[in-house]
Amino acid sequence: MAEIKKIFNEYGLDFDNNKYGLGQSSEIEYTDGTESRTNKKVKINHIQARYFRIWIGKKVLIIDSDKPHFSIRDKKRWNFKIVYGRSGR
């Protein structure tokens, strides 16, 4: 089994991962490139960054405490999400 590379805990409006929109979700990235997602909080021992994401359509605006502090990214799929998150190991 692959080791955990990074954990993301997100809170906010996310229709992709929360049935009624509001809630929390966690994503775990593994060193082999696979990912798993749950609606339960996963403990982060060392927080590396805090971020705010606004995802509308195929564009994502990210304001991050880690570098780059501000970015706009293109995604392949459509979504609507406004979340606050923390990432780490």
Side-chain angles (χ1 to χ4, degrees), residues 2-19:
E3 291 185 31
I4 293 175
K5 180 180 175 183
K6 204 165 199 180
I7 299 170
F8 299 88
N9 287 330
E10 295 185 338
Y11 310 89
L13 186 64
D14 179 0
F15 290 99
D16 194 31
N17 296 301
N18 297 300
K19 184 177 180 179

Side-chain angles (χ1 to χ4, degrees), residues 16-80:
D16 194 31
N17 296 301
N18 297 300
K19 184 177 180 179
Y20 301 107
L22 289 174
Q24 72 176 23
S25 65
S26 297
E27 181 178 320
I28 303 171
E29 289 182 353
Y30 298 96
T31 53
D32 65 358
T34 60
E35 299 175 349
S36 64
R37 186 171 280 280
T38 181
N39 285 345
K40 296 180 182 178
K41 185 177 177 181
V42 177
K43 184 177 180 181
I44 298 175
N45 292 324
H46 176 69
I47 295 174
Q48 295 171 319
R50 290 171 176 80
Y51 59 87
F52 183 72
R53 289 186 185 174
I54 300 173
W55 183 338
I56 300 173
K58 293 186 176 185
K59 296 277 187 191
V60 182
L61 166 69
I62 303 168
I63 300 168
D64 199 331
S65 66
D66 202 8
K67 290 184 180 179
H69 297 296
F70 178 82
S71 62
I72 297 175
R73 296 189 183 162
D74 292 319
K75 295 289 188 173
K76 292 182 181 180
R77 63 187 179 87
W78 194 97
N79 197 3
F80 179 74

